[in-house]
Amino acid sequence: QKEVEQNSGPLSVPEGAIASLNCTYSDRVSQSFFWYRQYSGKSPELIMSIYSNGDKEDGRFTAQLNKASQYVSLLIRDSQPSDSATYLCAVDMLTFGGGTRLMVKP
Amino acid sequence: GAVVSQHPSWVICKSGTSVKIECRSLDFQATTMFWYRQFPKQSLMLMATSNEGSKATYEQGVEKDKFLINHASLTLSTLTVTSAHPEDSSFYICSAPAGETNHEQYFGPGTRLTVT
């Protein structure tokens, strides 16, 4: 059975810092990886998808994938209080981690 | 693009009654939609995959006779919670795949169900 692991947090960072969120997955043949953001009481929204090893940047967000280590991460640069949310890692569309709660303190 | 709507956004019903939740893809067609349930401070739990024109596929442990799913068209899927009980109170969220590879999920805003 596929598993996706995330540290539940909370991860607390000061405003303006880089937040680093990590995710590991169990199925070596997984092909697609996603990061979603979920504010309290709301549904998830897609932030980024990544399919190839390496980095993918979109604005303040960078997704990093290392298939050999079965590891995917999300970096948020210049973190803002509005980034405070739970970040969900998903593998192959339907397998979700438990989420990491990020708190950005002003 | 890739907007998914849900209706209603919240509903309160009495124990023993049924509740229908609608999920619509507004600007794209979705042959497949997914239904999730999320309890407070827990992650998403996939309940079932809704397939246009055929029966839904339910995850292990989800009662198909209690959670009726109908995918009536390429833009509409409905979830009916039958004979609702207080333990069915939860946040129900639908999603549909879209995007370049059709693997990115776009979620509806969710429906908060409270059974009294």
Side-chain angles (χ1 to χ4, degrees):
Chain A
Q1 184 172 346
K2 292 182 181 181
E3 292 185 352
V4 178
E5 299 287 338
Q6 294 181 256
N7 187 318
S8 61
L11 172 66
S12 183
V13 300
E15 183 174 357
I18 295 176
S20 177
L21 303 160
N22 305 312
C23 170
T24 59
Y25 58 95
S26 63
D27 190 343
R28 184 170 290 278
V29 300
S30 295
Q31 295 293 317
S32 55
F33 307 87
F34 307 89
W35 283 100
Y36 295 86
R37 177 175 60 197
Q38 185 175 24
Y39 291 111
S40 180
K42 303 295 186 182
S43 65
E45 57 179 323
L46 179 68
I47 298 176
M48 293 193 70
S49 59
I50 186 166
Y51 302 93
S52 305
N53 275 329
D55 295 359
K56 179 180 178 182
E57 187 175 316
D58 184 0
R60 294 187 298 114
F61 299 98
T62 299
Q64 300 175 316
L65 175 61
N66 184 325
K67 289 186 177 181
S69 300
Q70 296 175 232
Y71 177 95
V72 59
S73 64
L74 179 71
L75 302 178
I76 307 175
R77 289 181 298 281
D78 188 23
S79 295
Q80 300 297 308
S82 58
D83 294 326
S84 298
T86 296
Y87 289 80
L88 301 170
C89 171
V91 174
D92 289 338
M93 195 165 68
L94 294 180
T95 305
F96 283 82
T100 298
R101 190 159 72 96
L102 173 66
M103 297 173 57
V104 181
K105 298 193 172 180
Chain B
V3 179
V4 177
S5 71
Q6 264 183 261
H7 178 79
S9 56
W10 61 270
V11 58
I12 301 173
C13 71
K14 292 186 182 299
S15 188
T17 62
S18 296
V19 173
K20 180 186 284 189
I21 302 170
E22 293 186 347
C23 177
R24 294 181 186 273
S25 56
L26 297 185
D27 53 359
F28 66 105
Q29 294 183 332
T31 56
T32 300
M33 291 183 175
F34 303 102
W35 287 96
Y36 294 85
R37 181 167 54 181
Q38 187 175 39
F39 293 105
K41 299 194 185 303
Q42 294 187 24
S43 191
L44 297 171
M45 187 194 83
L46 179 66
M47 298 175 67
T49 301
S50 172
N51 304 297
E52 191 269 336
S54 64
K55 292 182 179 180
T57 305
Y58 291 83
E59 295 299 303
Q60 192 173 5
V62 177
E63 300 174 59
K64 62 180 181 181
D65 294 331
K66 179 170 183 60
F67 299 99
L68 301 180
I69 291 173
N70 184 288
H71 200 134
S73 73
L74 289 172
T75 59
L76 174 63
S77 175
T78 60
L79 168 68
T80 301
V81 182
T82 63
S83 186
H85 289 100
E87 56 265 32
D88 298 324
S89 299
S90 188
F91 191 41
Y92 291 85
I93 312 171
C94 71
S95 74
E100 283 185 27
T101 61
N102 210 36
H103 282 188
E104 298 168 351
Q105 287 197 69
Y106 291 86
F107 288 87
T111 297
R112 192 161 302 281
L113 170 64
T114 302
V115 184
T116 61

